[in-house]
Amino acid sequence: MADRVRAWRPDVPHLREVLHAEFTEHAYPSHTHGDWAVLLIDAGAVAYDLDRHPHTAEPTTVTLLPPHVPHDGRTAREGRAFRKRVLYLDESWLPHDAIGHSVDRPTVVRPGLAEGVRHVHRALGDGDSFEAESELVRVHDGLREHLHGTPPSTAADAPLARRLRDLLDASVAEGVSLEQASLLLGAHPSHLVRSFSRAYGMAPHRYLTSRRVDLARRMILDGHTVADAAVAAGFHDQAHLTRHFRRILGATPGSFHRA
């Protein structure tokens, strides 16, 4: 089986590169990079030394590799390939003192964290930058709690949640990034996501997606094609609309169009 590698730069704040790879024989020599690496193993396992201490990355865990610290990597099961996905995030994404903590504890076993990383990759595959950014905030909070042992604040901030909802309502099709919302509303993206989720029972990206599905549904019933409605409502393409349309409404956009 030949090695396969795909890498690209998404339009998501702090996210510098995404890598999907499958290796059968390649072994990484000791090296460093200037970014945080959030590693997810989909198949096989990877044995690696981080700062000369041995570790293993498994499919059930998330691995956090810090910037500027030497590490290598190779299959942990001789003769078997490993398949991985990596998010490379700039050095400022986590505080500087997190580097030492992550050297001591690079393996993260937290309920829902691996699934959260998968959600980031799925959103990136859909071309949904806002969903990827929102899910990445949740991953960020989970990793900070793992490294520092302090859960993020859950204090309610209903006025801030309403302001974010108004901002999303005013830009359903064109969208707004959490980084932009953070600057406009004067609050950290993590606080925005937590406050909104607490106030409305769903993350901001879920709310925006539901508003976009509602807009596309009305356009389809008015006679627009599914493809045109998808683009006009802010979806990456028709397939992206169809996935969320079916999830929310239990039917395909085509069934509404035929009706």
Side-chain angles (χ1 to χ4, degrees):
M1 183 183 298
D3 293 342
R4 293 183 294 177
V5 176
R6 179 186 175 217
W8 72 98
R9 290 184 180 273
D11 185 21
V12 175
H14 297 290
L15 186 52
R16 296 171 60 86
E17 182 184 342
V18 181
L19 173 71
H20 293 183
E22 182 172 1
F23 291 118
T24 54
E25 297 181 357
H26 176 69
Y28 287 96
S30 183
H31 65 285
T32 65
H33 42 72
D35 304 316
W36 290 96
V38 179
L39 169 66
L40 188 68
I41 301 298
D42 292 315
V46 174
Y48 66 97
D49 290 347
L50 177 65
D51 198 28
R52 295 176 292 184
H53 291 86
H55 301 276
T56 303
E58 303 273 0
T60 55
T61 62
V62 172
T63 300
L64 179 65
L65 299 176
H68 311 302
V69 180
H71 59 278
D72 58 12
R74 59 210 169 271
T75 182
R77 299 168 185 169
E78 188 174 352
R80 293 187 57 183
F82 64 88
R83 190 169 70 249
K84 68 174 186 174
R85 289 180 283 178
V86 189
L87 304 171
Y88 291 99
L89 296 126
D90 65 47
E91 189 175 351
S92 66
W93 188 61
L94 288 170
H96 184 74
D97 63 357
I99 293 177
H101 292 300
S102 63
V103 169
D104 296 333
R105 294 185 293 164
T107 303
V108 188
V109 183
R110 293 185 61 80
L113 185 62
E115 189 61 25
V117 177
R118 291 188 182 94
H119 285 165
V120 174
H121 283 283
R122 185 179 66 184
L124 292 169
D126 285 341
D128 193 329
S129 297
F130 186 69
E131 180 177 355
E133 189 182 7
S134 297
E135 293 289 358
L136 198 55
V137 165
R138 292 174 177 268
V139 171
H140 172 274
D141 286 351
L143 290 174
R144 284 202 63 167
E145 185 175 352
H146 164 76
L147 295 172
H148 294 92
T150 304
S153 171
T154 57
D157 193 340
L160 178 64
R162 283 195 299 272
R163 290 167 64 202
L164 178 55
R165 186 186 65 181
D166 291 343
L167 187 60
L168 296 176
D169 286 342
S171 53
V172 171
E174 60 272 26
V176 61
S177 72
L178 280 176
E179 188 172 70
Q180 292 171 327
S182 175
L183 293 173
L184 290 170
L185 301 179
H188 192 276
S190 294
H191 187 46
L192 286 177
V193 172
R194 289 193 300 268
S195 298
F196 193 96
S197 300
R198 185 179 178 88
Y200 298 112
M202 65 173 66
H205 73 270
R206 293 285 188 186
Y207 177 82
L208 182 60
T209 297
S210 67
R211 290 298 315 278
R212 285 174 167 173
V213 166
D214 193 47
L215 175 58
R217 176 180 59 84
R218 292 198 306 270
M219 292 185 66
I220 291 168
L221 290 176
D222 285 340
H224 293 272
T225 67
V226 175
D228 287 346
V231 174
F235 289 97
H236 182 62
D237 54 24
Q238 184 173 330
H240 187 203
L241 166 63
T242 297
R243 182 169 72 83
H244 288 295
F245 202 98
R246 183 185 289 115
R247 177 178 62 83
I248 293 174
L249 299 178
T252 65
S255 64
F256 274 66
H257 183 65
R258 288 189 296 272

